[in-house]
Amino acid sequence: MNRRTFLQTAAAAGCAAGAPAQPRRPNIVIMMADDMGYSDIGCYGSEIRTPNLDALAKGGVRFTHFYNTARCCPTRASLLTGLYSHQAGIGHMVNDMGRPAYQGYLNDRCVTLGEAMRGNGYRTMISGKWHVGEDRPHWPADRGFDRSFGLISGASSYWSLDAGRKMTLDGKPYTPPTDGSFYMTDAFVNHAVEFLDDASRREQPFLLYLPFTSPHWPLHAHESDIAKYEGKYMIGWDQLRRRRHRRMIELGVVDKRWPITPRDTESPAWETVKDKKARDRAMAVYAAQIDRMDQGVGRVVAQLRKMNALDTTLILFLADNGGCAEHRDTGNPGVPPGGPDSYLSYELPWANASNTPFRRYKHWVHEGGISSPLIAHWPAAIKNRGAITHESGHLIDLMATCVDVGGGKYPREHGGKTIQPMEGTSLVPAFQGKAIAPRKIFWEHEGNRAVRDGKWKLVSRFPDDWELYDLDADRTELNNLASAEPARVAAMKRDYDAWAARCGVVPWGELTRERKQARKKA
């Protein structure tokens, strides 16, 4: 079956008896976790209970080589626009660094999924974390979303809104209730379900974007969810990594030829840890945050089923970067994580386990920083259910996929401005078990750089030299072949340099020097 026939068959499956000859196009739901590692959900090897995500995987397709950009803001920019984040104006975070590619909000030479899909006749909705523009006119309501709710800023308390953070409901500032009823993850899901119910009353397909903050620090969770996990992590991170690795091999999401990476040198051996109960509690809260997110996924699926829309909805689930090794401890000293008086992160050793079996973390572009689960569920179109695909995909592909399945067009102009062409390619062939056309994929964040070309990956941790890996044989990046393949390194470096120049990437050392000089002048 070719791609056109595949899409026509999927659309026809949603056309009820007696319906007009032109079938309704599929709905699209994109859900994304925040700071979650590659192995942190059940269908990718975790012991954390994620029955709803596991069910989507069982009824759909799992990608083993899907990539994000290693950090929250660039990932959101790339997902929303189908461009590399520098092209969209967010080469770093939401601060203006004085260069067009680093202005800190989405520019006017890109369109968002909201703008592109609304232009193709879709009802567009977002409930969750925005983080690609702090001020008007750069909010979701300004960038193509018919309904919008959520956190404009980055991370916040789950129990309230941190000082200096912003939330919005349909373009107006929103203040969470202070009666103890608010929990961020639940609030995102509540509004997502409300928006879906509203969309069910309209004669148009819809796109819902649901970017969670879970399980990003702070470690905040309901005690009923924490209780499911407390004590389970007394086995420690070393044993947890080994167990997950074995499970990932059994599931087929990693190759048994790839050895697990050694424990991070900054992580102590578990047997030497003195505060084991506190460490267990931290990981239990982290697991509870993912558990609660999965419960929310279940509520969204239940709403789609109630609307008789589940079969004809493409659901995509992914993560914005790898597990986070950042240190965070700004709550009340001695208060255990979970409640509103704490403000902790789960720390590097557990992040090392989250990213099993890979190296490094959020910020870096080794596999631990950029590898993401991707689950695609679409019963009307995906027939080989429970399948795994090893095709490579990237966030830039989501715009192309949405336009493709929606039978729409990507605009050349918007708001009187010429729009940059999409960088990605549709993932639809992989839904059919087919190959995606070969292409090169690139990364840069804070000077950490990479290019993937087929099985080869050239990568550098700033300010280190380039490393070269054969990902077919060594996806855990343990055997650096750079010295053995100098011609390949040189060719891939030229590819990277050409991409960086085209996308406005500025060498990180140069950019940080400019910022220091600007601060001195100020």
Side-chain angles (χ1 to χ4, degrees):
M1 184 186 296
N2 63 34
R3 185 181 60 81
R4 179 175 294 180
T5 303
F6 172 81
L7 294 174
Q8 289 174 342
T9 301
C15 188
Q22 180 63 38
R24 176 175 168 138
R25 292 169 290 167
N27 309 304
I28 302 167
V29 174
I30 301 174
M31 297 183 280
M32 184 165 68
D34 193 345
D35 281 14
M36 189 188 81
Y38 186 75
S39 72
D40 273 333
I41 57 177
C43 54
Y44 280 78
S46 181
E47 72 296 330
I48 299 171
R49 300 183 208 179
T50 55
N52 296 295
L53 288 170
D54 297 349
L56 292 177
K58 187 176 181 180
V61 174
R62 277 170 293 167
F63 286 67
T64 61
H65 289 254
F66 189 79
Y67 291 110
N68 49 48
T69 71
R71 193 80 179 275
C72 42
C73 299
T75 278
R76 284 160 175 74
S78 192
L79 182 156
L80 281 164
T81 66
L83 303 172
Y84 287 105
S85 61
H86 305 78
Q87 295 172 298
I90 304 185
H92 187 236
M93 300 290 279
V94 291
N95 51 315
D96 186 350
M97 301 185 76
R99 295 286 193 116
Y102 300 83
Q103 67 182 28
Y105 57 88
L106 296 179
N107 61 37
D108 58 8
R109 298 179 306 284
C110 65
V111 289
T112 68
L113 281 171
E115 290 163 335
M117 298 308 287
R118 185 160 71 178
N120 287 317
Y122 274 66
R123 178 78 170 167
T124 56
M125 305 167 286
I126 174 176
S127 182
K129 175 178 169 180
W130 180 241
H131 214 197
V132 287
E134 289 290 296
D135 301 309
R136 305 299 298 269
H138 309 296
W139 286 11
D142 306 314
R143 296 303 309 246
F145 287 92
D146 297 310
R147 299 296 309 273
S148 58
F149 171 78
L151 185 63
I152 293 297
S153 312
S156 174
S157 168
Y158 287 73
W159 303 111
S160 59
L161 183 63
D162 287 349
R165 300 301 196 190
K166 301 174 185 177
M167 293 188 73
T168 179
L169 174 59
D170 292 332
K172 297 179 181 179
Y174 173 87
T175 302
T178 57
D179 60 1
S181 63
F182 182 82
Y183 183 73
M184 191 74 73
T185 304
D186 297 340
F188 291 163
V189 174
N190 291 343
H191 283 83
V193 169
E194 176 189 328
F195 293 169
L196 287 171
D197 184 62
D198 175 61
S200 71
R201 296 174 172 80
R202 300 172 184 272
E203 293 298 322
Q204 63 185 134
F206 57 79
L207 177 140
L208 169 67
Y209 173 43
L210 175 52
F212 293 97
T213 52
S214 177
H216 194 295
W217 52 257
L219 294 172
H220 286 166
H222 295 277
E223 284 296 331
S224 58
D225 292 328
I226 299 170
K228 302 175 189 177
Y229 300 98
E230 205 160 13
K232 290 185 180 293
Y233 294 104
M234 292 298 288
I235 61 170
W237 39 72
D238 297 319
Q239 180 68 5
L240 183 64
R241 292 182 74 227
R242 289 191 290 269
R243 288 186 181 183
R244 285 192 178 186
H245 187 225
R246 286 195 297 269
R247 179 62 176 151
M248 296 171 89
I249 292 170
E250 292 170 2
L251 290 170
V253 296
V254 301
D255 194 310
K256 64 182 180 181
R257 295 178 299 162
W258 308 333
I260 191 171
T261 52
R263 182 197 319 115
D264 192 295
T265 56
E266 295 183 33
S267 172
W270 178 255
E271 58 266 23
T272 69
V273 172
K274 293 182 170 52
D275 57 344
K276 287 184 173 66
K277 288 192 69 173
R279 297 291 192 127
D280 167 77
R281 170 78 181 191
M283 186 61 190
V285 178
Y286 177 87
Q289 290 175 293
I290 293 174
D291 188 308
R292 195 70 172 194
M293 176 181 64
D294 182 77
Q295 293 174 47
V297 170
R299 290 178 56 202
V300 170
V301 169
Q303 176 63 28
L304 292 170
R305 186 176 286 113
K306 178 182 176 182
M307 295 159 54
N308 294 318
L310 183 59
D311 284 357
T312 52
T313 298
L314 169 61
I315 299 175
L316 298 170
F317 176 86
L318 65 151
D320 71 339
N321 46 249
C324 175
E326 296 167 355
H327 172 74
R328 191 75 176 183
D329 186 0
T330 56
N332 294 327
V335 175
D341 294 328
S342 67
Y343 215 100
L344 303 167
S345 58
Y346 75 155
E347 305 291 346
L348 180 147
W350 289 126
N352 197 189
S354 285
N355 293 336
T356 301
F358 302 130
R359 293 173 60 192
R360 307 216 192 279
Y361 313 94
K362 172 184 177 179
H363 294 266
W364 292 281
V365 296
H366 285 76
E367 294 293 285
I370 59 176
S371 297
S372 169
L374 177 67
I375 299 168
H377 182 272
W378 186 11
I382 296 173
K383 301 306 179 185
N384 188 16
R385 297 174 188 176
I388 290 176
T389 177
H390 304 300
E391 293 298 304
S392 297
H394 187 279
L395 293 160
I396 55 175
D397 300 331
L398 297 191
M399 172 71 83
T401 303
C402 290
V403 172
D404 190 12
V405 303
K409 295 181 179 179
Y410 183 80
R412 294 183 178 181
E413 294 185 356
H414 184 79
K417 301 286 186 177
T418 300
I419 299 303
Q420 300 169 89
M422 289 185 290
E423 290 281 342
T425 188
S426 175
L427 297 175
V428 164
F431 298 168
Q432 302 172 264
K434 297 180 179 179
I436 295 173
R439 55 8 193 313
K440 299 177 179 71
I441 304 173
F442 300 88
W443 292 264
E444 190 279 336
H445 182 67
E446 296 181 336
N448 303 306
R449 305 165 293 165
V451 53
R452 177 165 179 173
D453 183 3
K455 71 174 185 175
W456 294 100
K457 181 182 176 186
L458 190 69
V459 59
S460 169
R461 177 188 183 182
F462 182 80
D464 297 347
D465 290 336
W466 288 105
E467 302 166 5
L468 179 70
Y469 298 100
D470 174 353
L471 296 190
D472 280 358
D474 176 33
R475 195 176 172 202
T476 47
E477 299 173 309
L478 296 176
N479 183 23
N480 180 9
L481 300 173
S483 61
E485 295 266 3
R488 189 180 302 279
V489 170
M492 294 182 73
K493 181 181 180 298
R494 286 194 296 270
D495 289 337
Y496 174 85
D497 290 342
W499 168 83
R502 179 171 67 82
C503 294
V505 177
V506 180
W508 188 243
E510 178 182 334
L511 196 61
T512 53
R513 283 193 299 272
E514 287 180 1
R515 297 303 299 153
K516 288 179 181 178
Q517 291 170 358
R519 283 194 293 269
K520 286 180 181 178
K521 290 179 181 179

